[in-house]
Amino acid sequence: MIDGTIQGTTQEADQAVGCRTRFAGLLAPGLAADRLNRLALALRLSPLLQAPAGPAPLAVLLAGDGSAVPESDALWLPPVAAWIEPPADTGASDTADRLAPFLAEAAKSDLYLNLTTATAHDLQLGGRLLAALSARHPLEGDRRDDIELALHEAVSNALVHGNLGVAGMKELSAQELERFSRDLGDRLADPLLAGRRIVVTLRIDPAEDGRRLATVEITDEGAGFTPGPRANSGASGRGLDLIGTIADGLTIEDGGRRIRMGFRL
């Protein structure tokens, strides 16, 4: 396998930019083998048709055409460490150039996702993230359930309220549920909104108490919001409060478009 993500990468250069993950291979479900070979060669990665056993980190390329969502659970477990959907306007000739910056960003984290809202919405992303995390650090019982709930809420906030701009339910009623479902469907049918991206990074580091700390950042491209007291948050507006009771650290950045959560493992 070829070890590295960017042309000319060396171990010293990796350390200088804070590299944590050095990718060795590229998987691309649904992509023709000849195009996969050319793309992997341009990125200095090994082209792979399936995830092999072994520790060398791999990246998965999602084509984002509705048929590219990986069904196999194995594609969400080690050694896969990045899941990237290229921009919709990426042509065959410039795919490698457009993917290289994504891979450079992915190299700074232990896990990395960069997907459109449409693709992420179909993935049940909170559960996928939990599976990827627990495969690297086993989680059990209530702690596992709590972290999955927090991840689900954070992803849902980013996709539904952030990128799609759907207002939360003001009350538990059939009328509000119908309105919420209609707005969600309408926004997902809008190519501009469905094409907005969600970026998830996860890093696992030693904590001061000797345990491990997982730091998860989720960034959206929505209008953002100003965190503050919510006297009446409605039937579906309590996500941040819930996350705050579970996470060991919670910060909101970039005008409400980025949430950072810390979980002691």
Side-chain angles (χ1 to χ4, degrees):
M1 285 188 179
I2 300 173
D3 191 10
T5 59
I6 307 300
Q7 295 186 16
T9 293
T10 65
Q11 185 172 1
E12 292 78 13
D14 289 341
Q15 292 172 347
V17 297
C19 180
R20 302 172 68 107
T21 302
R22 301 190 69 200
F23 293 98
L26 182 68
L27 290 151
L31 191 67
D34 59 342
R35 187 178 174 192
L36 172 60
N37 289 338
R38 292 194 301 271
L39 179 59
L41 179 62
L43 293 169
R44 296 194 173 186
L45 302 174
S46 293
L48 301 168
L49 298 179
Q50 61 182 9
L58 309 177
V60 171
L61 177 65
L62 306 182
D65 60 2
S67 64
V69 177
E71 297 292 338
S72 172
D73 289 341
L75 291 182
W76 298 93
L77 300 175
V80 178
W83 301 262
I84 299 171
E85 181 179 355
D89 59 350
T90 301
S93 61
D94 63 352
T95 302
D97 290 340
R98 300 291 295 275
L99 284 178
F102 292 151
L103 285 169
E105 285 298 311
K108 300 174 185 177
S109 300
D110 296 314
L111 296 175
Y112 176 86
L113 296 94
N114 191 317
L115 309 172
T116 64
T117 295
T119 297
H121 181 266
D122 291 337
L123 279 176
Q124 300 297 318
L125 201 53
R128 298 292 190 184
L129 287 170
L130 181 78
L133 171 59
S134 59
R136 289 159 174 81
H137 188 102
L139 300 168
E140 297 180 357
D142 292 343
R143 188 56 174 164
R144 177 187 175 92
D145 294 341
D146 286 347
I147 292 177
E148 181 174 15
L149 179 58
L151 292 174
H152 172 77
E153 288 291 336
V155 168
S156 179
N157 282 344
L159 294 177
V160 177
H161 305 308
N163 283 347
L164 296 177
V166 177
M169 292 176 58
K170 295 181 176 61
E171 60 182 23
L172 288 174
S173 67
Q175 184 177 3
E176 265 297 278
L177 178 59
E178 181 181 357
R179 190 275 308 165
F180 180 86
S181 300
R182 182 179 62 251
D183 288 353
L184 180 61
D186 289 347
R187 302 296 174 85
L188 281 170
D190 184 328
L192 292 178
L193 297 179
R196 286 178 172 176
R197 305 189 77 84
I198 181 172
V199 179
V200 182
T201 65
L202 186 150
R203 294 178 291 275
I204 302 176
D205 297 291
E208 293 179 356
D209 59 3
R211 297 166 63 182
R212 306 289 283 177
L213 179 70
T215 302
V216 183
E217 289 187 5
I218 299 178
T219 305
D220 65 63
E221 296 183 329
F225 68 97
T226 301
R230 295 179 297 280
N232 183 9
S233 54
S236 63
R238 301 184 178 91
L240 286 178
D241 294 333
L242 179 60
I243 294 169
T245 65
I246 295 171
D248 296 292
L250 172 63
T251 57
I252 308 297
E253 302 175 341
D254 191 24
R257 286 176 286 270
R258 179 182 301 115
I259 180 172
R260 178 184 294 122
M261 303 168 287
F263 302 101
R264 281 188 169 81
L265 305 178

